Amino acid sequence: MNIGEAARRSGLPTKTIRYYEDIGLVRALRDTNGYRAFVDADIHKLTFLSRARALGFSIQDCRNLLTLWEDQDRASSDVKRIAREHLSVIDQKVAELEDMRASLSDLIDSCAGDDRPDCPILKDLAASK
């Protein structure tokens, strides 16, 4: 199947599929005319990559997970380690976002929001830390 059909079936944009091919995550066959020719196994890989990226895994994590997925002799502990490390990164980002939210909420609460020019939000943003 051509790249358009592969995109439709995998749910990925053609540009993303080309990128994944450029970095070696997928390797489409080539027709005699030079066009990419995807097979069902490629669609499974693309769908796998789409789901992994939707969960926020990095390209390198995706590469490692794809290698493990294709390896029937893999140890599930290797997969779990990658997922745990990624969850740790997510937890850290969530904590940073919660701190950011609390700080911004405090600033909003401290601002009168009226016609006066005094604004604690702007003062805080201008302060050197």
Side-chain angles (χ1 to χ4, degrees):
M1 77 192 75
N2 66 25
I3 194 167
E5 179 65 12
R8 189 188 65 73
R9 289 185 54 195
S10 68
L12 290 171
T14 56
K15 186 175 181 177
T16 300
I17 295 171
R18 285 186 194 99
Y19 172 68
Y20 287 168
E21 186 180 21
D22 287 345
I23 64 173
L25 286 175
V26 293
R27 288 185 178 83
L29 301 172
R30 295 288 178 156
D31 283 335
T32 54
N33 60 8
Y35 290 130
R36 292 168 182 86
F38 293 91
V39 296
D40 286 337
D42 297 321
I43 303 306
H44 291 296
K45 283 182 185 181
L46 291 168
T47 303
F48 179 96
L49 291 167
S50 176
R51 179 74 175 127
R53 293 293 287 156
L55 289 171
F57 284 102
S58 69
I59 292 294
Q60 187 57 49
D61 284 342
C62 287
R63 187 179 307 281
N64 294 337
L65 289 168
L66 191 57
T67 298
L68 289 166
W69 181 55
E70 293 173 328
D71 180 4
Q72 296 303 309
D73 295 325
R74 68 183 167 260
S76 65
S77 60
D78 293 335
V79 179
K80 188 172 184 175
R81 178 187 46 76
I82 293 169
R84 267 204 187 157
E85 288 171 1
H86 182 57
L87 182 59
S88 177
V89 169
I90 290 172
D91 287 341
Q92 181 180 352
K93 287 179 182 179
V94 168
E96 290 169 1
L97 285 170
E98 287 173 344
D99 288 345
M100 189 186 312
R101 186 188 191 293
S103 295
L104 186 55
S105 180
D106 289 345
L107 287 170
I108 290 169
D109 289 345
S110 68
C111 181
D114 55 19
D115 292 335
R116 293 179 291 166
D118 183 47
C119 180
I121 298 169
L122 293 176
K123 283 183 184 176
D124 185 81
L125 293 175
S128 59
K129 299 211 177 191

